[in-house]
Amino acid sequence: MIYIHIPFCKQKCSYCNFHFSTSLNFKDEMLRAMKTEIQLRKDELQNRSLKSLYFGGGTPSILSVDEINSLIDEVLHHFSFEKDIEITLEANPDDLDKNFLKQLAGTPVNRLSIGTQSFFEEDLKLMNRAHTASEAEGSIKRAQDFGFENLSIDLIYGSPTSNLEIWKENLHKTIALEVPHISSYALTVEPKTALDNWISKGKVKSPKEEEQNREFYYLSDFLKDHGFEHYEVSNFAKPGFYSRHNSSYWKYQEYLGIGPSAHSYNGFDVRSWNVANNQQYIKKLNTKLLAKEEEILSKEDQFNEMIMIGLRTIWGVDLNSLKNKFDDRFLEYFQNEIRQKVEEGILVIENNHLKIPEKHWFMADGIASDLFMV
């Protein structure tokens, strides 16, 4: 699978610490550099028949449909697509007007991930989103009108401008819109973001973990009552609408990341990442050289990652895979570390898979980190 990072946005969200630029001055140069990177890295994936292609960012929908199509064509020139390939485009509601959607419907893109975040103006203003509440709802309806049934939306809970009642209304609106996939995250305060600055100066209240905990479990129960499967801590889907791309990450499969700051993984022991600087990325690719660094993952790194990722999903950690991949030193450590948590019910073993019961999923990362080998 391939991930393409589009490092441009109209404006910066108050909570975001992803790599992007609000200047489009070097967009053409960036797209040429990305095509060069695709060409240079065409032999890195073992499986050249792609199951998924994902445009993330940044804001991929800031590109024209012709520009999106040209990147798809470049990928297709060097790789083949499986017949049922999932091609996802992340999009902001304010970009999804009728003209854009009409053109996009004529491309191979067959899944949209819409950055809705909330259907309430107060939330959107705090987050400094470029769209309004009406645009949030209208973009989903328009996408459906143009034949995009495989839709995902992002929703953020635990905002200082929200509460449980507002959160309930957000979820009722989502159900009414018949969206089949939802990615939902607690509002987090990342260092050096506008939100971090506002909180430190007392302009905005800090999110409360107990409120976020309550809203997370309401979210899970509500969506399950409406036919959704809670298949990863932050992801919910109707049957048949799991994100194929993200599920591949969670199952430790190889992927290739194109664009500044994008990460890649060979499925075994090598992870690489591109420089998180647009000008450096373009300059390097102009000389036909890759703008990336890489690391060899130690056995400890591989073990910890397998634990962290697996315990965030309904699939859990495959104990047979763990046994086959790691020697007795890891297995003895692992058995000792999980024993008490299994006795306490914080962890369970089902069909030879180690899992966190869903009632403890809000604390999944902390539970997993307790098992890390250092």
Side-chain angles (χ1 to χ4, degrees):
M1 62 180 186
I2 291 180
Y3 170 83
I4 298 180
H5 185 82
I6 306 300
F8 302 112
C9 285
K10 288 181 181 177
Q11 62 191 51
K12 186 169 185 175
C13 299
S14 64
Y15 55 86
C16 182
N17 67 345
F18 287 1
H19 171 69
F20 67 91
S21 170
T22 54
S23 170
L24 296 177
N25 291 339
F26 297 96
K27 183 181 67 171
D28 292 343
E29 292 89 337
M30 176 62 70
L31 295 177
R32 283 196 294 271
M34 287 180 171
K35 292 175 183 178
T36 299
E37 185 183 8
I38 292 168
Q39 177 186 350
L40 292 174
R41 303 185 70 182
K42 66 183 187 299
D43 296 323
E44 287 191 27
L45 290 181
Q46 291 184 335
N47 185 357
R48 299 181 60 77
S49 183
L50 300 181
K51 295 181 179 179
S52 72
L53 174 61
Y54 193 102
F55 289 87
T59 310
S61 58
I62 205 169
L63 300 181
S64 71
V65 173
D66 285 343
E67 289 166 338
I68 294 166
N69 242 339
S70 71
L71 287 171
I72 294 175
D73 287 344
E74 188 66 34
V75 174
L76 190 55
H77 183 70
H78 300 288
F79 298 87
S80 61
F81 291 173
E82 295 197 357
K83 288 184 179 180
D84 62 343
I85 186 172
E86 174 191 273
I87 302 182
T88 302
L89 182 80
E90 288 186 353
N92 276 354
D94 47 299
D95 293 326
L96 297 179
D97 60 28
K98 289 183 178 180
N99 184 53
F100 183 88
L101 285 165
K102 181 179 180 180
Q103 293 181 56
L104 193 67
T107 75
V109 172
N110 53 22
R111 184 174 184 269
L112 292 179
S113 177
I114 304 176
T116 305
Q117 315 309 358
S118 176
F119 294 104
F120 283 84
E121 293 292 351
E122 292 79 4
D123 293 341
L124 296 173
K125 288 176 182 176
L126 174 73
M127 298 174 197
N128 198 36
R129 297 293 292 172
H131 65 276
T132 64
S134 62
E135 285 175 324
E137 181 176 352
S139 65
I140 296 169
K141 292 179 178 178
R142 283 193 299 275
Q144 292 166 333
D145 288 342
F146 281 97
F148 289 98
E149 296 179 359
N150 195 354
L151 292 180
S152 176
I153 68 169
D154 289 348
L155 291 175
I156 290 180
Y157 59 88
S159 166
T161 51
S162 186
N163 56 44
L164 184 57
E165 292 308 309
I166 291 175
W167 182 231
K168 289 179 180 180
E169 290 187 48
N170 265 315
L171 295 177
H172 281 285
K173 175 72 72 175
T174 301
I175 294 300
L177 289 167
E178 298 183 338
V179 175
H181 187 283
I182 298 164
S183 296
S184 191
Y185 309 93
L187 182 68
T188 55
V189 184
E190 301 291 347
K192 299 181 180 179
T193 59
L195 182 61
D196 181 38
N197 181 52
W198 296 339
I199 290 173
S200 67
K201 292 181 177 179
K203 295 181 179 179
V204 174
K205 293 181 179 179
S206 181
K208 295 180 180 179
E209 185 173 310
E210 61 271 21
E211 294 280 346
Q212 294 183 335
N213 184 306
R214 187 180 304 113
E215 291 177 13
F216 171 79
Y217 286 111
Y218 181 86
L219 162 75
S220 179
D221 291 341
F222 179 84
L223 291 182
K224 283 189 294 182
D225 287 344
H226 286 83
F228 284 79
E229 296 170 358
H230 193 178
Y231 71 108
E232 193 269 346
V233 169
S234 300
N235 286 272
F236 306 78
K238 289 288 185 71
F241 286 94
Y242 285 21
S243 168
R244 188 179 308 172
H245 189 86
N246 289 339
S247 295
S248 297
Y249 289 147
W250 302 324
K251 294 179 180 179
Y252 329 113
Q253 295 173 8
E254 66 173 343
Y255 54 89
L256 179 62
I258 302 296
S261 81
H263 283 60
S264 303
Y265 174 55
N266 73 346
F268 300 101
D269 60 354
V270 179
R271 186 176 306 287
S272 64
W273 57 94
N274 290 338
V275 62
N277 181 291
N278 287 4
Q279 290 305 306
Q280 290 180 27
Y281 174 83
I282 292 170
K283 185 177 180 180
K284 199 81 169 180
L285 268 301
N286 283 345
T287 64
K288 305 295 183 181
L289 294 174
L290 295 176
K292 72 183 180 81
E293 298 180 46
E294 68 177 34
E295 65 174 337
I296 304 297
L297 299 175
S298 67
K299 278 294 185 181
E300 286 79 7
D301 291 333
Q302 295 174 54
F303 175 85
N304 294 344
E305 188 161 303
M306 193 170 182
I307 298 301
M308 172 63 81
I309 295 174
L311 289 180
R312 286 183 59 89
T313 72
I314 58 169
W315 305 294
V317 178
D318 186 336
L319 298 181
N320 285 331
S321 295
L322 206 69
K323 185 176 181 179
N324 292 334
K325 191 168 185 176
F326 300 100
D327 59 32
D328 290 344
R329 175 172 65 96
F330 285 89
L331 299 178
E332 289 174 8
Y333 168 85
F334 182 69
Q335 291 294 339
N336 289 334
E337 292 299 312
I338 71 170
R339 185 172 293 114
Q340 184 175 348
K341 284 183 168 55
V342 170
E343 290 175 357
E344 294 172 352
I346 296 173
L347 292 170
V348 296
I349 297 175
E350 296 176 353
N351 299 319
N352 216 33
H353 284 70
L354 184 73
K355 303 177 182 181
I356 298 176
E358 197 173 350
K359 64 181 180 180
H360 298 303
W361 267 20
F362 189 73
M363 304 302 295
D365 289 349
I367 294 169
S369 65
D370 289 344
L371 307 180
F372 288 175
M373 179 174 271
V374 294

